[in-house]
Amino acid sequence: MLSTALAIAFGLVTAALALTLWRLLRGPDEPDRILALDTLYVNSIALLVLLGIHLSSELYFEAAILIAMMGFVGTVALCKYLLRGDIIE
Amino acid sequence: MLDITLSVLILIGALFTFIGSLGLARMPDFYTRLHGPTKATTLGVGSLLIASMIHFSSQGEGISFHEVLVTLFLFITAPVSAHLLSKAALHLRVKSLAAPPHEVEEADSGEGQ
């Protein structure tokens, strides 16, 4: 039961990653691409959590926390660049 | 019982993650596209993290608290990044499907552009 649910969930999250990648490549404006990058890191956190359940290993949470922090900093830096034309003033 | 709860939570989480990205890919303009991934972050990843918390707590080594950190961080940062993204989009005057408010239209025509 759990392995079937995990297989379906892996498929769905991978499809979500593919859709986000399509928006990242296509996105007509810069904010669209930044939003796609933001969604990409959230989806990769979801994939890592699923992998942690699948392999019964808590090791992957450290990676998930790191991705969450670095992804947020990246989004803020890119938005600041669009807003002000500079990141560190 | 535990298996069923876990499977349902995992399926709900994955479904919401997928729907969020579908919204990102399919919505017509940037401001509506901003909606989808926000739901994916809170509902999708939230219920996946609850599922993994139940899973690792049932392994017998006490209650697992790693997930709370990820959840807390995601829930704090998601509104901030959405706010910054919409501010950047407004600054760049990204096209919206909604008509601009009346005052903005007047101010724009007043600048003579």
Side-chain angles (χ1 to χ4, degrees):
Chain A
M1 177 107 185
L2 186 59
S3 55
T4 318
L6 274 174
I8 298 171
F10 273 123
L12 280 173
V13 175
T14 311
L17 280 168
L19 283 171
T20 314
L21 194 64
W22 182 74
R23 176 56 68 193
L24 176 67
L25 294 176
R26 185 159 182 277
D29 301 300
E30 290 93 343
D32 282 300
R33 295 180 205 269
I34 301 175
L35 179 62
L37 275 176
D38 193 70
T39 317
L40 212 58
Y41 89 76
V42 172
N43 286 356
S44 69
I45 289 173
L47 204 60
L48 272 177
V49 170
L50 280 175
L51 195 66
I53 297 176
H54 180 63
L55 298 176
S56 274
S57 158
E58 301 206 23
L59 198 68
Y60 293 94
F61 285 111
E62 329 298 338
I65 294 172
L66 268 178
I67 290 179
M69 296 172 86
M70 290 299 134
F72 174 66
V73 173
T75 308
V76 170
L78 284 168
C79 285
K80 272 305 256 194
Y81 178 70
L82 284 189
L83 273 171
R84 310 282 299 173
D86 203 353
I87 297 171
I88 301 168
E89 294 171 52
Chain B
M1 188 61 211
L2 194 73
D3 246 26
I4 295 172
T5 319
L6 269 181
S7 307
V8 167
L9 276 173
I10 286 172
L11 280 183
I12 289 175
L15 208 64
F16 267 110
T17 311
F18 176 70
I19 290 172
S21 291
L22 193 67
L24 177 72
R26 291 289 301 160
M27 287 289 196
D29 73 338
F30 175 77
Y31 303 98
T32 50
R33 262 176 235 142
L34 201 53
H35 266 294
T38 327
K39 272 83 217 166
T41 310
T42 48
L43 281 167
V45 182
S47 63
L48 279 181
L49 285 166
I50 291 172
S52 103
M53 215 170 155
I54 293 173
H55 179 74
F56 285 113
S57 297
S58 71
Q59 300 279 306
E61 291 164 19
I63 302 171
S64 163
F65 277 116
H66 296 264
E67 292 87 351
V68 181
L69 274 177
V70 184
T71 318
L72 205 68
F73 203 83
L74 275 182
F75 278 32
I76 290 173
T77 57
V80 178
S81 54
H83 177 78
L84 274 172
L85 272 169
S86 56
K87 259 183 97 169
L90 283 174
H91 178 71
L92 292 177
R93 308 216 168 173
V94 172
K95 281 249 164 52
S96 166
L97 285 180
H102 197 56
E103 303 92 54
V104 176
E105 224 166 6
E106 272 181 359
D108 271 0
S109 59
E111 282 168 19
Q113 287 181 354

